[in-house]
Amino acid sequence: MLAFAVGLASGVAAHAEDVLRWGYDSAPFPPWTNKSPSGQWSGFDVDIMNSLCREMKAKCEIVEIAWDGIIPALQANKIDIIWSGMSMTAEREKVIDFSDRYRRGPAAYVAAKDMKLDISAEGFKGKTVGVKKATNFYSYLNHYYGKAADIKLYDTTDDSIADLVAGRIDVDMGDILELTRFLKSEAGQAFEIKGVTPVDPLLGRGAGAGIRKGDTALKERINTALATIRKSGEYTAIAKKYFEHDPYGE
């Protein structure tokens, strides 16, 4: 009986280790993440997550968390992985570890086609620029242009786009692939990309899976699975469902 109990306990523990809680920004961020009225998540990040979990033979559980509280949630063991396009910056690497990169994309500045805009401190004078709060995009914008631009923070990119269309902000700064998607919509026809951010330490090394400090076993599992789906072509097949260009970057 004792041997059976020990074996049962070991089996339960092994099963528990195979359940990975993936922390997602509670605000959908299409085409990376989206959420149906019934609560079903979809998008590029979700498809990649599912592929990684199949490779790792783990069960995926999505946990929704407000973006500005997602690192504390990881540190408090409420989730095992941050998975919502978190950029790997030196500042974040002080408190959490990251997997290898799974995607990378610069930020773009979008404004009305008839607006002349120079991406510089002088060019942003008198302009209201929208950006999602608690992001590396905001850190970059504030660092270089915070003294010139009137920066307006938003919970979601959808909110900043809505204000751009309504004329409540002059410029919207955000993920280039997401904003390109907006420009292809009917509402986006009057707008265009005015500039793209260069490579910069404030923007990080691309997006990776955020992991608790020292969790090397989970880091290696994710990295191995990611390398496998890249090599097999599964990553590329998923990317082609959403984008014209490879979101992995160079």
Side-chain angles (χ1 to χ4, degrees):
M1 290 292 290
L2 179 60
F4 175 77
V6 171
L8 180 62
S10 298
V12 171
H15 176 72
E17 290 174 356
D18 285 336
V19 177
L20 295 175
R21 301 162 298 169
W22 299 66
Y24 277 68
D25 184 358
S26 54
F29 195 50
W32 308 110
T33 61
N34 209 353
K35 187 178 178 183
S36 71
S38 64
Q40 293 296 311
W41 284 86
S42 62
F44 175 83
D45 281 9
V46 180
D47 287 356
I48 294 295
M49 175 197 72
N50 287 329
S51 292
L52 294 177
C53 282
R54 282 193 295 272
E55 287 295 327
M56 293 187 288
K57 295 180 173 56
K59 178 183 177 182
C60 295
E61 289 185 357
I62 292 177
V63 181
E64 300 175 33
I65 301 171
W67 185 249
D68 53 4
I70 206 163
I71 289 179
L74 178 69
Q75 294 171 321
N77 200 31
K78 294 179 180 179
I79 55 175
D80 302 303
I81 300 161
I82 295 175
W83 191 252
S84 262
M86 176 168 278
S87 295
M88 300 179 284
T89 64
E91 193 65 24
R92 286 171 176 156
E93 287 175 326
K94 293 177 182 178
V95 293
I96 64 174
D97 287 339
F98 284 99
S99 70
D100 291 339
R101 180 177 91 248
Y102 79 94
R103 63 175 167 92
R104 175 165 56 195
Y109 302 94
V110 169
K113 289 180 177 178
D114 59 3
M115 175 187 291
K116 291 184 179 180
L117 180 66
D118 179 38
I119 307 302
S120 65
E122 184 65 27
F124 277 127
K125 282 185 179 179
K127 300 288 192 302
T128 301
V129 184
V131 66
K132 187 176 177 181
K133 66 182 181 182
T135 62
N136 60 316
F137 294 157
Y138 164 69
S139 298
Y140 179 92
L141 183 66
N142 187 57
H143 178 79
Y144 289 107
Y145 307 121
K147 293 181 179 180
D150 176 17
I151 299 174
K152 189 172 182 179
L153 300 178
Y154 291 88
D155 289 326
T156 72
T157 304
D158 284 345
D159 291 339
S160 62
I161 287 174
D163 270 8
L164 179 71
V165 173
R168 288 185 283 268
I169 60 175
D170 302 300
V171 184
D172 192 19
M173 179 193 189
D175 180 274
I176 189 170
L177 291 174
E178 185 180 27
L179 290 176
T180 298
R181 196 164 177 255
F182 156 66
L183 294 176
K184 292 181 178 179
S185 69
E186 184 177 350
Q189 296 304 298
F191 301 88
E192 65 183 5
I193 292 175
K194 299 293 186 179
V196 175
T197 54
V199 174
D200 188 281
L202 287 175
L203 295 174
R205 299 179 288 105
I211 305 163
R212 278 183 291 277
K213 277 289 186 184
D215 195 346
T216 55
L218 181 55
K219 180 178 179 177
E220 288 174 4
R221 286 182 75 190
I222 294 172
N223 286 346
T224 299
L226 180 58
T228 298
I229 67 170
R230 287 282 300 165
K231 185 176 181 179
S232 70
E234 187 173 355
Y235 180 100
T236 300
I238 292 171
K240 286 181 177 178
K241 291 168 52 179
Y242 299 96
F243 311 112
E244 297 175 4
H245 305 289
D246 185 357
Y248 188 79
E250 297 179 357

